[in-house]
mmCIF file with all atom_site columns, all heavy atoms in Angstrom:
data_model
loop_
_atom_site.group_PDB
_atom_site.id
_atom_site.type_symbol
_atom_site.label_atom_id
_atom_site.label_alt_id
_atom_site.label_comp_id
_atom_site.label_asym_id
_atom_site.label_entity_id
_atom_site.label_seq_id
_atom_site.pdbx_PDB_ins_code
_atom_site.Cartn_x
_atom_site.Cartn_y
_atom_site.Cartn_z
_atom_site.occupancy
_atom_site.B_iso_or_equiv
_atom_site.pdbx_formal_charge
_atom_site.auth_seq_id
_atom_site.auth_comp_id
_atom_site.auth_asym_id
_atom_site.auth_atom_id
_atom_site.pdbx_PDB_model_num
ATOM 1   N N   . ARG A 1 230 ? 14.804 29.884 7.015  1.00 90.00 ? 771 ARG A N   1
ATOM 2   C CA  . ARG A 1 230 ? 14.439 28.580 6.469  1.00 90.00 ? 771 ARG A CA  1
ATOM 3   C C   . ARG A 1 230 ? 14.295 28.688 4.952  1.00 90.00 ? 771 ARG A C   1
ATOM 4   O O   . ARG A 1 230 ? 14.357 29.767 4.375  1.00 90.00 ? 771 ARG A O   1
ATOM 5   C CB  . ARG A 1 230 ? 13.148 28.067 7.101  1.00 90.00 ? 771 ARG A CB  1
ATOM 6   C CG  . ARG A 1 230 ? 13.271 27.736 8.597  1.00 90.00 ? 771 ARG A CG  1
ATOM 7   C CD  . ARG A 1 230 ? 14.198 26.558 8.799  1.00 90.00 ? 771 ARG A CD  1
ATOM 8   N NE  . ARG A 1 230 ? 14.348 26.191 10.210 1.00 90.00 ? 771 ARG A NE  1
ATOM 9   C CZ  . ARG A 1 230 ? 15.410 26.475 10.950 1.00 90.00 ? 771 ARG A CZ  1
ATOM 10  N NH1 . ARG A 1 230 ? 16.404 27.191 10.407 1.00 90.00 ? 771 ARG A NH1 1
ATOM 11  N NH2 . ARG A 1 230 ? 15.501 26.074 12.204 1.00 90.00 ? 771 ARG A NH2 1
ATOM 12  N N   . ARG A 1 231 ? 14.058 27.541 4.292  1.00 85.00 ? 772 ARG A N   1
ATOM 13  C CA  . ARG A 1 231 ? 14.060 27.490 2.835  1.00 85.00 ? 772 ARG A CA  1
ATOM 14  C C   . ARG A 1 231 ? 13.004 28.384 2.210  1.00 85.00 ? 772 ARG A C   1
ATOM 15  O O   . ARG A 1 231 ? 13.213 28.970 1.148  1.00 85.00 ? 772 ARG A O   1
ATOM 16  C CB  . ARG A 1 231 ? 13.876 26.043 2.381  1.00 85.00 ? 772 ARG A CB  1
ATOM 17  C CG  . ARG A 1 231 ? 13.985 25.853 0.873  1.00 85.00 ? 772 ARG A CG  1
ATOM 18  C CD  . ARG A 1 231 ? 14.019 24.395 0.502  1.00 85.00 ? 772 ARG A CD  1
ATOM 19  N NE  . ARG A 1 231 ? 15.210 23.740 1.027  1.00 85.00 ? 772 ARG A NE  1
ATOM 20  C CZ  . ARG A 1 231 ? 15.477 22.443 0.846  1.00 85.00 ? 772 ARG A CZ  1
ATOM 21  N NH1 . ARG A 1 231 ? 14.630 21.683 0.180  1.00 85.00 ? 772 ARG A NH1 1
ATOM 22  N NH2 . ARG A 1 231 ? 16.575 21.922 1.338  1.00 85.00 ? 772 ARG A NH2 1
ATOM 23  N N   . HIS A 1 232 ? 11.841 28.527 2.874  1.00 86.00 ? 773 HIS A N   1
ATOM 24  C CA  . HIS A 1 232 ? 10.783 29.346 2.275  1.00 86.00 ? 773 HIS A CA  1
ATOM 25  C C   . HIS A 1 232 ? 11.115 30.835 2.303  1.00 86.00 ? 773 HIS A C   1
ATOM 26  O O   . HIS A 1 232 ? 10.410 31.633 1.685  1.00 86.00 ? 773 HIS A O   1
ATOM 27  C CB  . HIS A 1 232 ? 9.444  29.090 2.976  1.00 86.00 ? 773 HIS A CB  1
ATOM 28  C CG  . HIS A 1 232 ? 9.406  29.510 4.414  1.00 86.00 ? 773 HIS A CG  1
ATOM 29  N ND1 . HIS A 1 232 ? 9.977  28.763 5.428  1.00 86.00 ? 773 HIS A ND1 1
ATOM 30  C CD2 . HIS A 1 232 ? 8.872  30.600 5.020  1.00 86.00 ? 773 HIS A CD2 1
ATOM 31  C CE1 . HIS A 1 232 ? 9.791  29.359 6.576  1.00 86.00 ? 773 HIS A CE1 1
ATOM 32  N NE2 . HIS A 1 232 ? 9.130  30.483 6.365  1.00 86.00 ? 773 HIS A NE2 1
ATOM 33  N N   . HIS A 1 233 ? 12.178 31.224 3.014  1.00 87.00 ? 774 HIS A N   1
ATOM 34  C CA  . HIS A 1 233 ? 12.629 32.613 2.999  1.00 87.00 ? 774 HIS A CA  1
ATOM 35  C C   . HIS A 1 233 ? 13.526 32.905 1.798  1.00 87.00 ? 774 HIS A C   1
ATOM 36  O O   . HIS A 1 233 ? 13.905 34.050 1.567  1.00 87.00 ? 774 HIS A O   1
ATOM 37  C CB  . HIS A 1 233 ? 13.386 32.948 4.285  1.00 87.00 ? 774 HIS A CB  1
ATOM 38  C CG  . HIS A 1 233 ? 12.537 32.866 5.518  1.00 87.00 ? 774 HIS A CG  1
ATOM 39  N ND1 . HIS A 1 233 ? 12.887 32.131 6.624  1.00 87.00 ? 774 HIS A ND1 1
ATOM 40  C CD2 . HIS A 1 233 ? 11.327 33.421 5.802  1.00 87.00 ? 774 HIS A CD2 1
ATOM 41  C CE1 . HIS A 1 233 ? 11.953 32.243 7.544  1.00 87.00 ? 774 HIS A CE1 1
ATOM 42  N NE2 . HIS A 1 233 ? 10.995 33.010 7.064  1.00 87.00 ? 774 HIS A NE2 1
ATOM 43  N N   . GLY A 1 234 ? 13.854 31.853 1.050  1.00 81.00 ? 775 GLY A N   1
ATOM 44  C CA  . GLY A 1 234 ? 14.742 32.022 -0.095 1.00 81.00 ? 775 GLY A CA  1
ATOM 45  C C   . GLY A 1 234 ? 16.082 31.363 0.150  1.00 81.00 ? 775 GLY A C   1
ATOM 46  O O   . GLY A 1 234 ? 16.573 31.326 1.280  1.00 81.00 ? 775 GLY A O   1
ATOM 47  N N   . GLY A 1 235 ? 16.664 30.822 -0.913 1.00 72.00 ? 776 GLY A N   1
ATOM 48  C CA  . GLY A 1 235 ? 17.949 30.156 -0.766 1.00 72.00 ? 776 GLY A CA  1
ATOM 49  C C   . GLY A 1 235 ? 17.792 28.662 -0.549 1.00 72.00 ? 776 GLY A C   1
ATOM 50  O O   . GLY A 1 235 ? 16.725 28.088 -0.761 1.00 72.00 ? 776 GLY A O   1
ATOM 51  N N   . GLU A 1 236 ? 18.855 28.032 -0.087 1.00 72.00 ? 777 GLU A N   1
ATOM 52  C CA  . GLU A 1 236 ? 18.862 26.578 0.097  1.00 72.00 ? 777 GLU A CA  1
ATOM 53  C C   . GLU A 1 236 ? 19.049 26.222 1.560  1.00 72.00 ? 777 GLU A C   1
ATOM 54  O O   . GLU A 1 236 ? 19.805 25.321 1.908  1.00 72.00 ? 777 GLU A O   1
ATOM 55  C CB  . GLU A 1 236 ? 19.990 25.962 -0.752 1.00 72.00 ? 777 GLU A CB  1
ATOM 56  C CG  . GLU A 1 236 ? 19.795 26.126 -2.250 1.00 72.00 ? 777 GLU A CG  1
ATOM 57  C CD  . GLU A 1 236 ? 18.559 25.402 -2.750 1.00 72.00 ? 777 GLU A CD  1
ATOM 58  O OE1 . GLU A 1 236 ? 18.211 24.346 -2.178 1.00 72.00 ? 777 GLU A OE1 1
ATOM 59  O OE2 . GLU A 1 236 ? 17.941 25.897 -3.712 1.00 72.00 ? 777 GLU A OE2 1
ATOM 60  N N   . GLY A 1 237 ? 18.359 26.898 2.448  1.00 74.00 ? 778 GLY A N   1
ATOM 61  C CA  . GLY A 1 237 ? 18.478 26.622 3.871  1.00 74.00 ? 778 GLY A CA  1
ATOM 62  C C   . GLY A 1 237 ? 17.721 25.369 4.276  1.00 74.00 ? 778 GLY A C   1
ATOM 63  O O   . GLY A 1 237 ? 17.231 24.599 3.445  1.00 74.00 ? 778 GLY A O   1
ATOM 64  N N   . ARG A 1 238 ? 17.605 25.167 5.567  1.00 85.00 ? 779 ARG A N   1
ATOM 65  C CA  . ARG A 1 238 ? 16.893 24.007 6.096  1.00 85.00 ? 779 ARG A CA  1
ATOM 66  C C   . ARG A 1 238 ? 15.400 24.138 5.840  1.00 85.00 ? 779 ARG A C   1
ATOM 67  O O   . ARG A 1 238 ? 14.858 25.245 5.776  1.00 85.00 ? 779 ARG A O   1
ATOM 68  C CB  . ARG A 1 238 ? 17.151 23.881 7.597  1.00 85.00 ? 779 ARG A CB  1
ATOM 69  C CG  . ARG A 1 238 ? 18.587 23.580 7.957  1.00 85.00 ? 779 ARG A CG  1
ATOM 70  C CD  . ARG A 1 238 ? 18.802 23.633 9.456  1.00 85.00 ? 779 ARG A CD  1
ATOM 71  N NE  . ARG A 1 238 ? 17.934 22.690 10.162 1.00 85.00 ? 779 ARG A NE  1
ATOM 72  C CZ  . ARG A 1 238 ? 17.868 22.610 11.496 1.00 85.00 ? 779 ARG A CZ  1
ATOM 73  N NH1 . ARG A 1 238 ? 18.595 23.451 12.232 1.00 85.00 ? 779 ARG A NH1 1
ATOM 74  N NH2 . ARG A 1 238 ? 17.091 21.734 12.070 1.00 85.00 ? 779 ARG A NH2 1
ATOM 75  N N   . CYS A 1 239 ? 14.750 22.988 5.707  1.00 88.00 ? 780 CYS A N   1
ATOM 76  C CA  . CYS A 1 239 ? 13.296 22.991 5.552  1.00 88.00 ? 780 CYS A CA  1
ATOM 77  C C   . CYS A 1 239 ? 12.645 23.269 6.903  1.00 88.00 ? 780 CYS A C   1
ATOM 78  O O   . CYS A 1 239 ? 13.161 22.854 7.947  1.00 88.00 ? 780 CYS A O   1
ATOM 79  C CB  . CYS A 1 239 ? 12.803 21.642 5.033  1.00 88.00 ? 780 CYS A CB  1
ATOM 80  S SG  . CYS A 1 239 ? 13.212 21.296 3.322  1.00 88.00 ? 780 CYS A SG  1
ATOM 81  N N   . PRO A 1 240 ? 11.521 23.969 6.911  1.00 92.00 ? 781 PRO A N   1
ATOM 82  C CA  . PRO A 1 240 ? 10.802 24.161 8.177  1.00 92.00 ? 781 PRO A CA  1
ATOM 83  C C   . PRO A 1 240 ? 10.178 22.860 8.650  1.00 92.00 ? 781 PRO A C   1
ATOM 84  O O   . PRO A 1 240 ? 10.144 21.863 7.902  1.00 92.00 ? 781 PRO A O   1
ATOM 85  C CB  . PRO A 1 240 ? 9.731  25.201 7.811  1.00 92.00 ? 781 PRO A CB  1
ATOM 86  C CG  . PRO A 1 240 ? 9.529  25.028 6.342  1.00 92.00 ? 781 PRO A CG  1
ATOM 87  C CD  . PRO A 1 240 ? 10.854 24.619 5.776  1.00 92.00 ? 781 PRO A CD  1
ATOM 88  N N   . ALA A 1 241 ? 9.677  22.857 9.871  1.00 93.00 ? 782 ALA A N   1
ATOM 89  C CA  . ALA A 1 241 ? 9.021  21.660 10.407 1.00 93.00 ? 782 ALA A CA  1
ATOM 90  C C   . ALA A 1 241 ? 7.808  21.307 9.545  1.00 93.00 ? 782 ALA A C   1
ATOM 91  O O   . ALA A 1 241 ? 7.112  22.200 9.056  1.00 93.00 ? 782 ALA A O   1
ATOM 92  C CB  . ALA A 1 241 ? 8.585  21.908 11.851 1.00 93.00 ? 782 ALA A CB  1
ATOM 93  N N   . PRO A 1 242 ? 7.533  20.018 9.321  1.00 95.00 ? 783 PRO A N   1
ATOM 94  C CA  . PRO A 1 242 ? 6.391  19.633 8.478  1.00 95.00 ? 783 PRO A CA  1
ATOM 95  C C   . PRO A 1 242 ? 5.070  20.139 9.050  1.00 95.00 ? 783 PRO A C   1
ATOM 96  O O   . PRO A 1 242 ? 4.881  20.179 10.275 1.00 95.00 ? 783 PRO A O   1
ATOM 97  C CB  . PRO A 1 242 ? 6.433  18.096 8.492  1.00 95.00 ? 783 PRO A CB  1
ATOM 98  C CG  . PRO A 1 242 ? 7.828  17.744 8.895  1.00 95.00 ? 783 PRO A CG  1
ATOM 99  C CD  . PRO A 1 242 ? 8.288  18.845 9.800  1.00 95.00 ? 783 PRO A CD  1
ATOM 100 N N   . VAL A 1 243 ? 4.161  20.531 8.167  1.00 96.00 ? 784 VAL A N   1
ATOM 101 C CA  . VAL A 1 243 ? 2.821  20.924 8.593  1.00 96.00 ? 784 VAL A CA  1
ATOM 102 C C   . VAL A 1 243 ? 2.031  19.652 8.875  1.00 96.00 ? 784 VAL A C   1
ATOM 103 O O   . VAL A 1 243 ? 2.150  18.651 8.159  1.00 96.00 ? 784 VAL A O   1
ATOM 104 C CB  . VAL A 1 243 ? 2.135  21.784 7.512  1.00 96.00 ? 784 VAL A CB  1
ATOM 105 C CG1 . VAL A 1 243 ? 2.043  21.042 6.193  1.00 96.00 ? 784 VAL A CG1 1
ATOM 106 C CG2 . VAL A 1 243 ? 0.750  22.213 7.967  1.00 96.00 ? 784 VAL A CG2 1
#
Side-chain angles (χ1 to χ4, degrees):
R771 293 294 180 256
R772 185 171 296 180
H773 65 282
H774 296 128
E777 295 297 328
R779 295 173 58 185
C780 289
V784 58

